Coordinates of all heavy atoms in Angstrom, one line a residue:
A468 N 34.6 -22.7 37.3 CA 35.3 -22.2 38.5 C 36.8 -22.5 38.6 O 37.6 -21.7 38.9 CB 34.5 -22.6 39.8
V469 N 37.1 -23.8 38.4 CA 38.5 -24.3 38.7 C 39.4 -23.6 37.7 O 40.5 -23.2 38.0 CB 38.6 -25.8 38.7 CG1 40.0 -26.2 38.9 CG2 37.8 -26.3 39.9
V470 N 39.0 -23.5 36.4 CA 39.8 -22.8 35.4 C 40.1 -21.4 35.8 O 41.3 -20.9 35.7 CB 39.1 -22.8 34.0 CG1 39.9 -22.0 33.0 CG2 38.9 -24.2 33.5
E471 N 39.1 -20.7 36.3 CA 39.3 -19.3 36.7 C 40.2 -19.2 38.0 O 41.0 -18.4 38.1 CB 37.9 -18.7 36.9 CG 37.2 -18.5 35.6 CD 35.7 -18.5 35.7 OE1 35.1 -18.6 36.8 OE2 35.0 -18.4 34.7
M472 N 40.0 -20.2 38.9 CA 40.8 -20.2 40.1 C 42.3 -20.4 39.8 O 43.2 -19.9 40.4 CB 40.3 -21.3 41.1 CG 39.0 -21.0 41.7 SD 38.4 -22.4 42.7 CE 39.3 -22.3 44.2
V473 N 42.6 -21.2 38.8 CA 44.0 -21.5 38.4 C 44.6 -20.1 37.9 O 45.7 -19.8 38.4 CB 44.1 -22.5 37.3 CG1 45.5 -22.6 36.7 CG2 43.6 -23.9 37.8
K474 N 43.8 -19.4 37.2 CA 44.3 -18.1 36.7 C 44.6 -17.1 37.9 O 45.6 -16.5 38.0 CB 43.3 -17.4 35.8 CG 43.3 -18.0 34.4 CD 42.5 -17.1 33.4 CE 42.2 -17.9 32.2 NZ 40.9 -17.7 31.6
F475 N 43.7 -17.1 38.8 CA 43.8 -16.2 40.0 C 45.0 -16.7 40.9 O 45.8 -15.9 41.4 CB 42.6 -16.2 40.9 CG 41.4 -15.4 40.2 CD1 40.1 -15.9 40.2 CD2 41.7 -14.2 39.5 CE1 39.1 -15.2 39.6 CE2 40.7 -13.5 38.9 CZ 39.4 -14.0 38.9
A476 N 45.2 -18.0 41.0 CA 46.2 -18.6 41.8 C 47.6 -18.2 41.2 O 48.5 -17.8 41.9 CB 46.1 -20.1 41.9
N477 N 47.7 -18.2 39.9 CA 49.0 -17.8 39.2 C 49.2 -16.3 39.4 O 50.3 -15.9 39.5 CB 49.0 -18.3 37.8 CG 49.2 -19.8 37.7 OD1 49.9 -20.4 38.4 ND2 48.5 -20.4 36.7
E478 N 48.1 -15.6 39.4 CA 48.2 -14.1 39.6 C 48.6 -13.7 41.0 O 49.5 -12.8 41.2 CB 46.8 -13.5 39.2 CG 46.8 -12.0 39.4 CD 45.3 -11.5 39.2 OE1 44.5 -12.1 38.4 OE2 45.0 -10.5 39.8
F479 N 48.1 -14.4 42.0 CA 48.3 -14.1 43.4 C 49.5 -14.8 44.1 O 49.9 -14.4 45.2 CB 47.1 -14.3 44.2 CG 45.9 -13.4 43.9 CD1 44.6 -13.9 43.7 CD2 46.1 -12.0 44.0 CE1 43.6 -13.0 43.5 CE2 45.1 -11.1 43.7 CZ 43.8 -11.6 43.5
K480 N 50.0 -15.9 43.5 CA 50.9 -16.7 44.2 C 52.2 -16.0 44.6 O 52.9 -16.4 45.6 CB 51.1 -18.1 43.6 CG 51.9 -18.1 42.3 CD 52.0 -19.5 41.9 CE 52.8 -19.6 40.5 NZ 52.7 -20.9 39.9
D481 N 52.6 -15.0 43.9 CA 53.9 -14.3 44.2 C 53.6 -13.1 45.1 O 54.6 -12.4 45.5 CB 54.6 -13.9 43.0 CG 55.1 -15.2 42.2 OD1 55.4 -16.2 42.9 OD2 55.0 -15.2 41.0
F482 N 52.4 -12.8 45.5 CA 52.1 -11.7 46.4 C 52.7 -12.1 47.8 O 52.7 -13.2 48.2 CB 50.6 -11.6 46.6 CG 49.9 -10.7 45.5 CD1 50.3 -10.8 44.2 CD2 48.8 -9.9 45.9 CE1 49.6 -10.0 43.2 CE2 48.2 -9.1 44.9 CZ 48.6 -9.2 43.6
N483 N 53.2 -11.1 48.5 CA 53.6 -11.4 49.9 C 52.4 -11.5 50.8 O 51.3 -11.0 50.4 CB 54.7 -10.5 50.4 CG 54.2 -9.1 50.5 OD1 53.1 -8.8 50.9 ND2 55.1 -8.1 50.2
R484 N 52.6 -12.0 52.0 CA 51.5 -12.3 52.9 C 50.6 -11.0 53.2 O 49.4 -11.0 53.2 CB 52.1 -12.9 54.2 CG 51.1 -13.8 54.8 CD 51.7 -14.5 56.0 NE 50.6 -14.9 56.8 CZ 49.8 -15.9 56.5 NH1 50.0 -16.7 55.4 NH2 48.8 -16.2 57.3
S485 N 51.3 -9.9 53.4 CA 50.6 -8.7 53.8 C 49.8 -8.2 52.7 O 48.7 -7.7 52.8 CB 51.5 -7.6 54.5 OG 52.4 -7.2 53.5
D486 N 50.3 -8.3 51.4 CA 49.5 -7.9 50.3 C 48.2 -8.8 50.1 O 47.2 -8.3 49.7 CB 50.3 -7.9 49.0 CG 51.3 -6.8 48.9 OD1 51.2 -5.9 49.7 OD2 52.3 -6.9 48.2
L487 N 48.4 -10.1 50.4 CA 47.3 -11.0 50.3 C 46.2 -10.6 51.3 O 45.0 -10.6 51.0 CB 47.7 -12.4 50.5 CG 48.4 -13.2 49.3 CD1 48.9 -14.6 49.7 CD2 47.5 -13.3 48.1
L488 N 46.7 -10.3 52.5 CA 45.8 -10.0 53.6 C 45.0 -8.7 53.2 O 43.8 -8.6 53.5 CB 46.5 -9.8 54.9 CG 47.0 -11.1 55.6 CD1 48.0 -10.9 56.7 CD2 45.7 -11.9 56.1
E489 N 45.7 -7.8 52.6 CA 45.1 -6.5 52.2 C 44.1 -6.7 51.1 O 43.0 -6.2 51.2 CB 46.3 -5.6 51.7 CG 46.0 -4.1 51.7 CD 45.5 -3.6 53.0 OE1 46.0 -3.9 54.1 OE2 44.5 -2.8 52.9
E490 N 44.4 -7.6 50.2 CA 43.5 -7.9 49.1 C 42.2 -8.6 49.6 O 41.1 -8.4 49.2 CB 44.3 -8.8 48.1 CG 43.5 -9.2 46.8 CD 43.3 -8.1 45.8 OE1 44.0 -7.1 45.9 OE2 42.4 -8.2 45.0
K491 N 42.5 -9.5 50.6 CA 41.4 -10.2 51.2 C 40.3 -9.3 51.8 O 39.1 -9.7 51.8 CB 41.9 -11.2 52.3 CG 41.0 -12.3 52.6 CD 41.6 -13.2 53.6 CE 40.5 -14.3 54.0 NZ 40.9 -15.0 55.2
K492 N 40.7 -8.2 52.3 CA 39.8 -7.3 53.0 C 38.7 -6.7 52.0 O 37.7 -6.2 52.4 CB 40.5 -6.1 53.5 CG 41.3 -6.4 54.8 CD 41.9 -5.1 55.4 CE 42.9 -5.3 56.4 NZ 43.9 -4.3 56.5
R493 N 39.0 -6.9 50.7 CA 38.0 -6.3 49.7 C 36.8 -7.2 49.5 O 35.8 -6.9 48.9 CB 38.7 -6.2 48.4 CG 39.9 -5.2 48.4 CD 40.6 -5.2 47.1 NE 39.8 -4.9 46.0 CZ 40.1 -5.1 44.7 NH1 41.3 -5.5 44.4 NH2 39.3 -4.8 43.7
Y494 N 36.9 -8.4 50.1 CA 35.8 -9.4 49.8 C 35.2 -9.9 51.1 O 35.9 -10.1 52.1 CB 36.3 -10.6 49.0 CG 37.1 -10.2 47.8 CD1 38.5 -10.2 47.9 CD2 36.5 -9.8 46.7 CE1 39.2 -9.8 46.8 CE2 37.2 -9.4 45.6 CZ 38.6 -9.4 45.6 OH 39.3 -8.9 44.5
N495 N 33.8 -10.2 51.1 CA 33.2 -10.7 52.2 C 32.3 -11.9 51.8 O 31.4 -11.7 50.9 CB 32.3 -9.6 52.9 CG 31.5 -10.0 54.0 OD1 30.6 -10.8 53.9 ND2 31.9 -9.6 55.2
N496 N 32.5 -13.0 52.4 CA 31.8 -14.2 51.9 C 30.3 -14.1 52.0 O 29.5 -14.5 51.1 CB 32.3 -15.4 52.7 CG 31.6 -16.7 52.3 OD1 31.6 -17.1 51.1 ND2 30.9 -17.4 53.2
K497 N 29.8 -13.6 53.1 CA 28.3 -13.5 53.3 C 27.7 -12.6 52.3 O 26.7 -12.9 51.7 CB 28.1 -13.0 54.8 CG 26.6 -13.0 55.2 CD 26.5 -12.7 56.6 CE 25.0 -12.4 57.0 NZ 24.6 -11.1 56.6
D498 N 28.3 -11.4 52.1 CA 27.8 -10.5 51.1 C 27.8 -11.1 49.7 O 26.8 -10.9 48.9 CB 28.7 -9.2 51.0 CG 28.6 -8.4 52.3 OD1 27.7 -8.7 53.1 OD2 29.4 -7.5 52.5
L499 N 28.8 -11.8 49.4 CA 28.9 -12.4 48.0 C 27.8 -13.5 47.9 O 27.2 -13.7 46.8 CB 30.3 -13.0 47.8 CG 31.4 -11.9 47.6 CD1 32.8 -12.5 47.6 CD2 31.2 -11.2 46.3
L500 N 27.6 -14.3 48.9 CA 26.6 -15.3 48.8 C 25.2 -14.7 48.7 O 24.3 -15.2 47.9 CB 26.6 -16.2 50.1 CG 26.1 -17.6 50.0 CD1 26.7 -18.4 48.9 CD2 26.4 -18.4 51.3
Q501 N 25.0 -13.6 49.4 CA 23.7 -12.9 49.2 C 23.6 -12.3 47.8 O 22.5 -12.4 47.2 CB 23.5 -11.8 50.3 CG 23.1 -12.5 51.6 CD 22.9 -11.5 52.7 OE1 23.7 -10.6 52.9 NE2 21.9 -11.7 53.5
E502 N 24.7 -11.9 47.2 CA 24.7 -11.4 45.9 C 24.3 -12.5 44.9 O 23.6 -12.3 43.9 CB 26.1 -10.8 45.5 CG 26.0 -9.5 44.9 CD 27.4 -9.0 44.4 OE1 28.2 -8.6 45.3 OE2 27.7 -9.0 43.2
A503 N 24.8 -13.7 45.2 CA 24.5 -14.9 44.3 C 23.0 -15.1 44.3 O 22.4 -15.3 43.3 CB 25.2 -16.1 44.9
L504 N 22.4 -15.1 45.5 CA 20.9 -15.3 45.6 C 20.1 -14.2 44.9 O 19.2 -14.4 44.2 CB 20.5 -15.4 47.1 CG 20.6 -16.7 47.7 CD1 20.4 -16.6 49.2 CD2 19.5 -17.7 47.1
Q505 N 20.6 -12.9 45.1 CA 20.0 -11.8 44.4 C 20.1 -11.9 42.9 O 19.1 -11.7 42.2 CB 20.6 -10.5 44.9 CG 20.1 -10.0 46.2 CD 21.1 -9.1 46.9 OE1 22.1 -8.7 46.3 NE2 20.8 -8.8 48.2
F506 N 21.3 -12.4 42.4 CA 21.5 -12.5 41.0 C 20.5 -13.5 40.4 O 19.8 -13.3 39.4 CB 22.9 -12.9 40.7 CG 23.2 -13.1 39.3 CD1 23.8 -12.0 38.6 CD2 23.0 -14.3 38.6 CE1 24.1 -12.2 37.2 CE2 23.3 -14.4 37.2 CZ 23.9 -13.4 36.5
M507 N 20.4 -14.7 41.1 CA 19.5 -15.8 40.6 C 18.1 -15.4 40.7 O 17.3 -15.6 39.7 CB 19.8 -17.0 41.4 CG 21.1 -17.7 41.1 SD 21.2 -19.2 42.2 CE 22.5 -20.1 41.3
S508 N 17.7 -14.8 41.8 CA 16.2 -14.4 41.9 C 15.9 -13.3 41.0 O 14.8 -13.3 40.3 CB 15.8 -14.1 43.4 OG 16.8 -13.3 43.9
S509 N 16.8 -12.3 40.8 CA 16.4 -11.2 39.9 C 16.4 -11.7 38.4 O 15.6 -11.2 37.6 CB 17.3 -10.0 40.1 OG 18.6 -10.3 39.8
R510 N 17.3 -12.7 38.1 CA 17.3 -13.2 36.7 C 15.9 -13.9 36.5 O 15.3 -13.7 35.4 CB 18.4 -14.2 36.5 CG 18.5 -14.7 35.1 CD 19.8 -15.2 34.7 NE 19.8 -15.5 33.3 CZ 19.4 -16.6 32.7 NH1 19.1 -17.6 33.5 NH2 19.4 -16.8 31.4
L511 N 15.4 -14.7 37.5 CA 14.2 -15.3 37.3 C 13.0 -14.3 37.2 O 12.1 -14.5 36.3 CB 13.9 -16.3 38.5 CG 14.6 -17.6 38.4 CD1 14.2 -18.5 39.6 CD2 14.2 -18.4 37.2
L512 N 13.1 -13.3 38.0 CA 12.0 -12.2 38.0 C 12.0 -11.5 36.6 O 10.9 -11.3 36.1 CB 12.3 -11.2 39.1 CG 11.5 -11.3 40.3 CD1 11.8 -10.1 41.3 CD2 10.0 -11.3 40.0
K513 N 13.2 -11.3 36.1 CA 13.3 -10.6 34.8 C 12.7 -11.5 33.7 O 11.9 -11.0 32.9 CB 14.8 -10.3 34.5 CG 15.0 -9.3 33.4 CD 16.5 -8.8 33.5 CE 16.8 -8.1 32.2 NZ 17.5 -9.0 31.2
L514 N 13.0 -12.8 33.8 CA 12.4 -13.7 32.8 C 10.9 -13.8 33.0 O 10.2 -13.8 32.0 CB 13.0 -15.1 32.9 CG 14.5 -15.2 32.5 CD1 15.0 -16.6 32.8 CD2 14.6 -14.9 31.0
A515 N 10.5 -13.8 34.2 CA 9.0 -13.9 34.5 C 8.3 -12.7 33.9 O 7.1 -12.8 33.5 CB 8.8 -14.0 36.0
N516 N 8.9 -11.5 33.9 CA 8.3 -10.3 33.4 C 8.6 -10.1 31.9 O 8.1 -9.1 31.3 CB 8.8 -9.1 34.1 CG 8.3 -9.1 35.6 OD1 7.1 -9.5 35.8 ND2 9.1 -8.8 36.5
E517 N 9.3 -11.0 31.3 CA 9.7 -10.8 29.9 C 8.4 -11.1 29.0 O 7.8 -12.1 29.1 CB 10.8 -11.9 29.6 CG 11.3 -11.9 28.2 CD 12.2 -10.6 27.9 OE1 13.2 -10.4 28.6 OE2 11.7 -9.9 27.0

Side-chain angles (χ1 to χ4, degrees):
V469 175
V470 173
E471 290 151 2
M472 287 173 81
V473 172
K474 285 190 194 142
F475 290 136
N477 286 324
E478 179 186 330
F479 287 131
K480 70 179 177 191
D481 296 324
F482 276 38
N483 63 37
R484 211 176 157 75
S485 63
D486 287 345
L487 281 177
L488 286 167
E489 202 50 45
E490 183 70 21
K491 196 178 179 194
K492 284 188 196 151
R493 298 174 56 195
Y494 311 100
N495 177 291
N496 180 58
K497 185 172 169 282
D498 292 349
L499 289 169
L500 204 51
Q501 280 180 319
E502 227 184 287
L504 273 168
Q505 281 155 6
F506 181 95
M507 285 178 164
S508 47
S509 62
R510 183 161 188 270
L511 280 181
L512 258 184
K513 196 162 165 264
L514 288 175
N516 293 320
E517 183 69 61

